[in-house]
Amino acid sequence: MGLTLEEWRRARNVSQEKMAEVCGVHLNTYRLWEKSPGEIRIDNAIKIADFLQISLDDIILSANTTKRSKEESEVTG
């Protein structure tokens, strides 16, 4: 199981504000991406991957991990 985008960001001690700045987007947009990484355009995914020093595969996996986590919480919630 991969890490979520939020977990990758926190592991690198980077704020959401900094990630929004790196991507050139509003803070609320970046926050949405952490909840729904499948919404990230490829150009922004590349910026995130480069900045966090992770692969694009990690971002794709984070989308799947986030989706599974939401589904699991709906079942158990």
Side-chain angles (χ1 to χ4, degrees):
M1 184 164 167
L3 297 177
T4 65
L5 186 54
E6 178 182 6
E7 291 167 334
W8 279 115
R9 177 183 56 77
R10 288 178 184 253
R12 303 294 195 265
N13 293 315
V14 177
S15 69
Q16 288 180 325
E17 291 84 358
K18 181 63 179 176
M19 292 306 303
E21 179 185 321
V22 165
C23 295
V25 298
H26 192 276
L27 176 59
N28 288 339
T29 300
Y30 181 80
R31 287 180 174 157
L32 171 66
W33 292 347
E34 284 196 357
K35 294 178 183 177
S36 301
E39 301 295 320
I40 304 171
R41 289 189 342 220
I42 189 69
D43 60 323
N44 287 315
I46 291 169
K47 290 176 188 176
I48 292 168
D50 287 346
F51 189 80
L52 295 178
Q53 298 179 335
I54 60 177
S55 71
L56 285 174
D57 287 345
D58 291 325
I59 294 176
I60 292 166
L61 288 173
S62 79
N64 293 334
T65 299
T66 302
K67 182 179 176 184
R68 273 197 308 273
S69 296
K70 285 180 184 175
E71 289 170 352
E72 289 170 1
S73 69
E74 288 173 0
V75 170
T76 59

